[in-house]
């Protein structure tokens, strides 16, 4: 009887150890599952509709449109050559239209549209407004060539992204390329003819 009793105690002890191990495993598995659930929550909260980079791109784009409209009007007033005047008119019309489209994009994406140009753009306008005659034409066309090359690169980069502004950027690139060609033509013609005055 004593042997049977010891055997029963031994079996009971084995079950108790097994149950304890299972409980410990269950505790460990529970603690392991918490980080995974919290990480998935973090993933959901981190997925935003528009990134900070895209917000920055669109805001800069709208400021660029406003700056180009202002410079386009200035070119029509102060440009000496007919080419510069016509180019200024193109800038005013195209960038006014593009600004409206950009503002619509901003509204749909919940981005606050800027109300004025940035400090650098203000400085460019102030410098251009002090120039006259061939000097204005030369500096204006030079600025427009450099500015549009930079803009084309930025819009092409955005167009290749999978973000909400990709299509908007893709549609903008041909317009900017048209402006660049017009700016280069006006710059080259001005250098060859000495900015022949408009009639």
């Amino acid at each position: 009887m004593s042997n049977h009793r010891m055997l029963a105690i031994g079996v009971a002890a084995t079950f108790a150890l097994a149950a304890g191990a299972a409980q410990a495993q269950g505790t460990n598995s529970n603690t392991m599952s918490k980080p995974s659930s919290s990480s998935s929550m973090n993933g959901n909260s981190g997925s935003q509709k528009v990134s900070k980079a895209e917000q920055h791109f669109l805001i800069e784009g709208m400021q660029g449109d406003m700056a180009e409209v202002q410079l386009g009007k200035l070119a029509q007033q102060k440009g000496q050559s007919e080419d510069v005047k016509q180019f200024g008119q193109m800038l005013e019309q195209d960038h006014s239209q593009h600004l409206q489209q950009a503002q619509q994009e901003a509204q749909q994406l919940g981005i606050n549209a800027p109300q004025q140009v940035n400090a650098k753009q203000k400085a460019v306008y102030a410098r251009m407004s002090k120039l006259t005659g061939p000097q204005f034409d030369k500096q204006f066309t030079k600025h427009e060539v450099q500015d549009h090359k930079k803009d084309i690169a930025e819009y092409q980069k955005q167009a290749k992204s999978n973000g909400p502004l990709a299509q908007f950027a893709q549609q903008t690139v041909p317009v900017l390329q048209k402006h660049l060609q017009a700016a280069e033509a006006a710059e080259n013609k001005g250098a060859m003819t000495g900015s022949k005055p408009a009639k």
Side-chain angles (χ1 to χ4, degrees):
M1 291 291 291
S2 60
N3 289 338
H4 286 297
R5 186 178 297 174
M6 287 179 65
L7 182 62
I9 292 171
V11 171
T14 304
F15 278 121
L17 285 171
Q23 187 178 3
Q25 271 190 340
T27 306
N28 290 341
S29 63
N30 287 340
T31 53
M32 290 292 289
S33 66
K34 286 181 181 178
S36 63
S37 62
S38 62
S39 64
S40 65
M41 286 177 67
N42 291 339
N44 291 335
S45 62
S47 59
Q48 297 177 351
K49 192 173 183 181
V50 186
S51 68
K52 287 184 178 180
E54 287 167 335
Q55 290 181 34
H56 182 70
F57 166 79
L58 190 56
I59 289 171
E60 274 201 339
M62 286 184 281
Q63 288 178 319
D65 285 331
M66 288 188 282
E68 290 300 305
V69 169
Q70 292 175 358
L71 286 174
K73 290 178 179 178
L74 190 66
Q76 293 174 72
Q77 295 168 7
K78 304 197 70 170
Q80 183 174 358
S81 73
E82 188 63 32
D83 290 328
V84 168
K85 288 180 179 292
Q86 289 178 357
F87 179 48
Q89 186 177 9
M90 181 194 298
L91 288 178
E92 181 187 359
Q93 291 175 347
D94 289 350
H95 281 281
S96 292
Q97 183 178 357
H98 189 263
L99 177 59
Q100 291 178 350
Q101 294 171 347
Q103 288 170 338
Q104 289 174 0
E105 291 284 339
Q107 186 176 10
Q108 290 173 2
L109 297 172
I111 299 173
N112 293 327
Q115 300 302 313
Q116 59 182 359
V117 299
N118 61 37
K120 185 178 180 181
Q121 290 161 339
K122 285 181 181 178
V124 170
Y125 183 88
R127 177 169 60 86
M128 293 291 178
S129 63
K130 295 175 183 176
L131 301 175
T132 56
Q135 194 65 21
F136 173 86
D137 288 7
K138 181 180 179 181
Q139 293 301 318
F140 172 74
T141 52
K142 180 181 178 181
H143 167 76
E144 290 300 325
V145 168
Q146 294 174 346
D147 191 57
H148 278 80
K149 283 182 178 179
K150 178 175 69 70
D151 289 346
I152 288 170
E154 290 176 356
Y155 273 83
Q156 284 177 332
K157 181 180 177 181
Q158 190 65 40
K160 292 177 183 177
S161 73
N162 293 322
L165 295 172
Q167 186 176 0
F168 171 72
Q170 189 175 6
Q171 292 171 347
T172 304
V173 171
V175 179
L176 295 176
Q177 289 173 333
K178 179 186 71 172
H179 291 176
L180 176 60
Q181 291 173 357
E184 288 175 334
E187 184 181 37
N188 294 335
K189 194 171 182 180
M192 290 173 60
T193 63
S195 293
K196 184 177 178 182
K199 294 180 181 179

